[in-house]
DNA sequence: CACACATGTAAATGTTTGTTTACTTAGTCG
DNA sequence: CGACTAAGTAAACAAACATTTACATGTGTG
């Protein structure tokens, strides 16, 4: 507290935590866009502007970095479906699918969940995350959490994933260009049809 | 009885067309399951039990083999949505998603469409195929092919893709274990909600 | 200030990759 | 039969890969 510090990104030239976060950030983008196998550690290091060896220093391996990115996606998704109500599902889906607020975009986290490194541990993680999400969607329906309700909740989830995929990865027109207003109508129809009050 | 009968593979010892088809078959499985980058040409050659060089002989390159697989998927999908009627969509979706008749499984062709080699030409192909499919679904709705109808048809397509993804790639319970009968109800609700008569 | 350690880098490691080359073998036909 | 060609193989190729090693340097602390 003796000397004044810049509060926002003091841009210290050497900062482990900051570099770690930077690697996470750029790796996430690559993994989402290109997948695990098609992304090289040199791609990531170059994007971050740091040396390749730092990936192994901070994340042990490429695989470790990938799992860290998956963890980020998991918390992001959980934050968005936690304590959600049935009425909020449609609006939040349309909003989060359509609008990207730069950081922590829910659609990106959904796409991250579709990526795999091939490691079975990663596949188990992905299944657990998605299962938790579908249970929360089923709970929002306010009905007994039987298999039928869970199945219908997972079809809602499948729709969200499918739309996000057609939009971000395939860029299929016209759904890729649809905005929040265009989506909220059809999505309301789907959710009401699958999880009626 | 010392007569040994090797009825197993009546495959002629040397047959270019047959070997080409075999490579296509095993490559398709690998590309769908592991993706383009994670699949090596040696994996494919070993699965087929032939030499690696034959891939380049028959398909010019790994990329060429991938595009051939994509072409297979395209015809398979087109065959299944051609001249489809609104009433058939739900039944066919439930049937094709749930039951796998070994060869030419529509769900596998859908998953193939989600794979990319990174080549832009491939991405253009994928977009064209999916756009044709959504136009045929919109036509089945029997309504003027306006943007709104096309958008809703693409959401139907997105649902099919999402369900297939959760089932085959992620193996998420319980949707992964749902049979035709379990799916036809919810799917009817979705299609009726999106493309009403 | 000077030392020590955390932070970062350059270069080399041994595999694995897709592709090409040179060669062998099976099938066909005069 | 005997050779000619199509079909298939083994080995070699350079490039790209993830990871490790040895070294350099910035930064906080005594």
């Amino acid at each position: 507290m003796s000397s004044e510090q810049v509060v926002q990104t003091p841009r210290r030239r050497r900062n482990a935590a900051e570099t770690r976060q930077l690697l996470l950030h750029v790796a996430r983008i690559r993994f989402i866009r290109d997948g695990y196998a098609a992304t090289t550690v040199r791609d990531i290091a170059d994007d971050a502007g740091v040396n390749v060896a730092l990936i192994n220093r901070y994340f042990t391996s490429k695989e470790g970095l990938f799992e860290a990115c998956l963890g980020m996606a998991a918390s992001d998704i959980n934050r968005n479906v936690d304590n959600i109500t049935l009425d909020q599902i449609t609006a939040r889906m349309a909003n989060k699918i359509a609008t990207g607020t730069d950081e922590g975009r829910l659609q990106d986290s959904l796409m991250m969940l579709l990526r795999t490194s091939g490691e079975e541990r990663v596949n188990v993680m992905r299944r657990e995350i998605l299962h938790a999400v579908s249970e929360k969607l089923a709970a929002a329906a306010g009905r007994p959490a039987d298999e039928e309700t869970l199945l219908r909740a997972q079809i809602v989830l499948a729709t969200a994933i499918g739309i996000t995929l057609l939009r971000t990865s395939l860029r299929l027109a016209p759904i890729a260009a649809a905005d929040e207003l265009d989506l909220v109508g059809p999505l309301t129809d789907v959710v009401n049809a699958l999880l009626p009050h």
Side-chain angles (χ1 to χ4, degrees), chain A:
Chain A
M1 28 184 83
S2 49
S3 60
E4 186 185 88
Q5 283 189 343
V6 184
V7 190
Q8 269 192 341
T9 55
R11 280 232 158 267
R12 277 204 309 213
R13 302 223 294 275
R14 291 195 166 191
N15 186 331
E18 205 170 83
T19 304
R20 218 192 96 104
Q21 280 305 115
L22 181 59
L23 280 172
L24 264 177
H25 177 72
V26 299
R28 181 183 129 103
I29 295 174
R30 284 273 182 182
F31 285 143
I32 289 173
R33 205 187 52 192
D34 304 333
Y36 179 81
T39 299
T40 76
V41 289
R42 281 180 176 80
D43 287 338
I44 298 170
D46 289 350
D47 286 353
V50 301
N51 190 272
V52 207
L54 291 188
I55 290 176
N56 297 88
R57 177 191 290 277
Y58 292 131
F59 301 95
T60 310
S61 62
K62 179 188 177 184
E63 176 77 26
L65 175 54
F66 182 78
E67 290 185 32
C69 290
L70 206 54
M72 279 181 60
S75 15
D76 187 30
I77 290 174
N78 274 322
R79 186 180 331 118
N80 272 280
V81 294
D82 222 35
N83 289 326
I84 200 172
T85 69
L86 188 53
D87 295 322
Q88 291 173 324
I89 291 181
T90 299
R92 196 170 296 184
M93 269 178 68
N95 179 270
K96 294 294 182 175
I97 284 178
T99 76
T101 53
D102 263 3
E103 266 308 313
R105 307 204 304 173
L106 184 58
Q107 46 184 339
D108 290 344
S109 296
L110 264 189
M111 289 300 96
M112 185 69 211
L113 266 192
L114 302 188
R115 299 303 190 180
T116 179
S117 65
E119 283 287 311
E120 190 50 31
R121 183 195 320 116
V122 162
N123 290 336
V124 171
M125 283 177 64
R126 302 194 304 149
R127 257 191 298 273
E128 286 172 351
I129 297 165
L130 285 174
H131 198 264
V133 169
S134 47
E135 273 184 333
K136 283 173 184 167
L137 290 181
R143 292 193 290 174
D146 51 7
E147 292 268 295
E148 164 83 9
T149 306
L150 199 51
L151 175 65
R152 285 174 170 268
Q154 289 183 347
I155 296 181
V156 171
L157 182 57
T159 305
I161 288 175
I163 293 176
T164 307
L165 226 143
L166 291 185
R167 286 174 58 93
T168 66
S169 172
L170 282 142
R171 294 194 232 283
L172 180 69
I175 200 175
D179 61 15
E180 189 173 349
L181 198 60
D182 298 324
L183 289 173
V184 71
L187 284 179
T188 303
D189 293 343
V190 171
V191 174
N192 286 342
L194 285 170
L195 301 171
H197 285 83

